[in-house]
Amino acid sequence: MRQFARPSLGLLSRILAILLLTVIIEFGVSTLLYERASQFSVRDDEARRLAEHLVISRRLIAERPVAERLAMAAQLTTDRYLMRWEGRVTSPPPLATELAGMRRQIIAWEPALASADLRLQLTSPGRRSVVSGGLRLPDDSWVYFRTRTPIVGLNLTTERILQALAPAVALIVMGGLLMQRTLQPLRRLAAAAEQMGSGTSVHVEEEGPTDVVRVVRAFNTMQDRIHQLINDRTQGLFAVGHDMRTPLSRLKLRADAIPDTQVRHAIRGDIHEMEAMVGSLLAYLGGDDDPENPAHIDLAVTCATIADDAADNGATVIYNGPDHLEMVLRRSAIKRAITNLVDNSLHYGTRATLSIMVDDFWVYLNIDDDGPGIPADKTDLVIQPFVRLDPARQRDTKGFGLGLAIVADTVAREGGRLSLSNRPEGGLRAQIMLPRR
């Protein structure tokens, strides 16, 4: 029975839906805060204190004779409020519409001011505002007042800004969490792609938005095909290696029966070259499927052994370095890589020197020779597979030109890198950098 995927919104649709949701919520919260700010533009304690001072000042000034009202107004002046009385007023102070809410609030707390024709106006000496205005006395004279400290806008610059920012921050966090959940399949896909690059097969669950599910499904299919191709190639390599080594072994036996010593040695040399070609090709193409696991080895002893073996065969190879250096490496692979570099040095020069230097993070293994070196602009090219720099000498070279490529792959699998450089005194230096673990 075929199962159909549950219908799901695409990635773009989900992002648009999340943005729309955050905009709607932000609009609603901002509107609510704006309405509250317009209704309560002054802090409650400041408005109540002003109302109490006005009702007391109006009563005391109204009870005094006209000649004493100026003095009484001066006595009622405090560090918060400035009071002033005027007997004749040609025109009353204007009534500020933006302070209508504050006026209603003051009258609600002190109903005695309802008949005083309370007038309020706003002055702004900067970003913070003070309130001024007037009160009508029963004899139609006026008492003017002004706050000496700003009382309007204090909460708009501190508390209400924080209140306005709080929902925005909350929406950003909520949107980020939703986006993180939406993009989680893509992160799993990226992690699987990285593991796939190191040769590990990882099946990614097909979930999430429709677009992401299609990408994950295509990745899983591609991964299966790639691993199938690698498996087919590996099996083919094993078959080719077995089939070619068998006739080569028969040729060795038949070459031993040749009475002419010179011809026999020439034929055995050709057979050895064919074996080297087959071995290098199989090592390069089958490198990712090497079953060898890293183990503790003594790299210094390995290098010294390679130098001694070469010396036993009549070559001049010298080792300079510590007596012991424990590392975790693939024993056979790293030994084959160092041997390839030594053989390459002896092929183009007359002697080779192995040296090891160590710092806190890296181990530097240098193989120096006295050969002709490599042009500076070709040091990266020569590491590429199937590349030889001197076409005239290709037929004099064993293998397919895979020696340095195999070394580079082997060192990369150990987390290091291979570099080639010309020595100032002449010759080539091949340097292997391995991380200390």
Side-chain angles (χ1 to χ4, degrees), residues 258-323:
I258 297 176
D260 191 327
T261 303
Q262 185 175 359
V263 175
R264 183 171 64 251
H265 285 310
I267 293 177
R268 291 187 66 88
D270 292 338
I271 294 173
H272 181 70
E273 182 176 351
M274 294 177 64
E275 288 180 333
M277 293 171 65
V278 173
S280 64
L281 184 62
L282 294 178
Y284 176 73
L285 296 179
D288 292 339
D289 300 307
D290 188 355
E292 185 180 13
N293 294 321
H296 286 276
I297 69 168
D298 194 323
L299 184 62
V301 172
T302 300
C303 292
T305 302
I306 293 174
D308 293 340
D309 292 343
D312 292 340
N313 292 326
T316 304
V317 180
I318 302 173
Y319 169 70
N320 294 322
D323 294 332

Side-chain angles (χ1 to χ4, degrees), residues 110-420:
E110 298 294 343
L113 297 176
S115 60
D117 194 13
L118 176 62
R119 302 295 182 95
L120 299 176
Q121 59 183 352
L122 193 64
T123 58
S124 302
R127 298 182 59 183
R128 303 171 70 182
S129 301
V130 297
V131 175
S132 62
L135 291 170
R136 187 190 300 273
L137 298 182
D139 59 354
D140 291 334
S141 62
W142 282 79
V143 175
Y144 291 93
F145 64 89
R146 183 172 67 87
T147 60
R148 287 186 165 182
T149 57
I151 64 173
V152 175
L154 290 175
N155 52 349
L156 292 178
T157 58
T158 54
E159 298 176 4
R160 286 193 180 142
I161 288 179
L162 295 177
Q163 291 177 2
L165 287 178
V169 173
L171 289 174
I172 292 175
V173 173
M174 183 182 68
L177 294 176
L178 292 176
M179 291 296 297
Q180 181 182 18
R181 181 178 180 85
T182 301
L183 299 178
Q184 184 67 29
L186 290 179
R187 282 191 289 271
R188 288 197 295 266
L189 179 63
E194 292 179 357
Q195 295 184 15
M196 179 183 172
S198 62
T200 304
S201 178
V202 179
H203 180 79
V204 184
E205 294 295 333
E206 298 179 2
E207 59 182 8
T210 304
D211 299 334
V212 176
V213 169
R214 292 177 59 188
V215 173
V216 173
R217 184 178 297 118
F219 173 82
N220 287 333
T221 303
M222 177 192 68
Q223 183 178 213
D224 294 338
R225 291 177 179 174
I226 290 175
H227 284 287
Q228 184 62 41
L229 289 174
I230 293 176
N231 292 334
D232 294 342
R233 186 195 67 177
T234 303
Q235 295 178 3
L237 286 174
F238 287 149
V240 170
H242 180 269
D243 293 344
M244 294 191 68
R245 284 194 173 98
T246 299
L248 288 176
S249 299
R250 292 198 300 264
L251 286 175
K252 283 184 180 180
L253 295 176
R254 293 172 182 175
D256 292 338
I258 297 176
D260 191 327
T261 303
Q262 185 175 359
V263 175
R264 183 171 64 251
H265 285 310
I267 293 177
R268 291 187 66 88
D270 292 338
I271 294 173
H272 181 70
E273 182 176 351
M274 294 177 64
E275 288 180 333
M277 293 171 65
V278 173
S280 64
L281 184 62
L282 294 178
Y284 176 73
L285 296 179
D288 292 339
D289 300 307
D290 188 355
E292 185 180 13
N293 294 321
H296 286 276
I297 69 168
D298 194 323
L299 184 62
V301 172
T302 300
C303 292
T305 302
I306 293 174
D308 293 340
D309 292 343
D312 292 340
N313 292 326
T316 304
V317 180
I318 302 173
Y319 169 70
N320 294 322
D323 294 332
H324 298 282
L325 180 60
E326 291 287 337
M327 296 190 68
V328 178
L329 302 167
R330 294 172 177 81
R331 181 188 304 273
S332 300
I334 198 67
K335 183 177 181 180
R336 181 170 60 246
I338 299 172
T339 302
N340 284 351
L341 293 177
V342 171
D343 291 343
N344 189 71
S345 297
L346 295 175
H347 181 77
Y348 294 104
T350 60
R351 56 184 297 157
T353 301
L354 278 75
S355 60
I356 294 179
M357 296 179 294
V358 182
D359 62 18
D360 294 336
F361 304 100
W362 295 93
V363 173
Y364 302 91
L365 172 59
N366 299 323
I367 298 93
D368 300 331
D369 63 43
D370 57 353
I374 297 176
D377 58 339
K378 300 294 181 63
T379 53
D380 293 334
L381 179 63
V382 75
I383 299 179
Q384 301 299 319
F386 307 105
V387 172
R388 293 192 182 94
L389 297 183
D390 188 359
R393 298 194 303 178
Q394 285 190 7
R395 295 300 96 211
D396 189 39
T397 304
K398 296 179 181 180
F400 292 104
L402 294 173
L404 293 177
I406 294 174
V407 174
D409 288 347
T410 300
V411 174
R413 293 181 65 195
E414 303 295 344
R417 61 177 179 267
L418 170 68
S419 62
L420 303 176

Side-chain angles (χ1 to χ4, degrees), residues 57-77 83-88 135-144:
S57 298
R58 182 174 183 270
R59 182 183 305 114
L60 292 176
I61 294 176
E63 292 175 352
R64 293 289 178 176
V66 174
E68 299 179 4
R69 289 182 178 180
L70 283 175
M72 178 56 65
Q75 294 179 10
L76 292 172
T77 297
M83 309 300 296
R84 179 172 55 86
W85 175 82
E86 287 191 9
R88 290 184 178 183
L135 291 170
R136 187 190 300 273
L137 298 182
D139 59 354
D140 291 334
S141 62
W142 282 79
V143 175
Y144 291 93

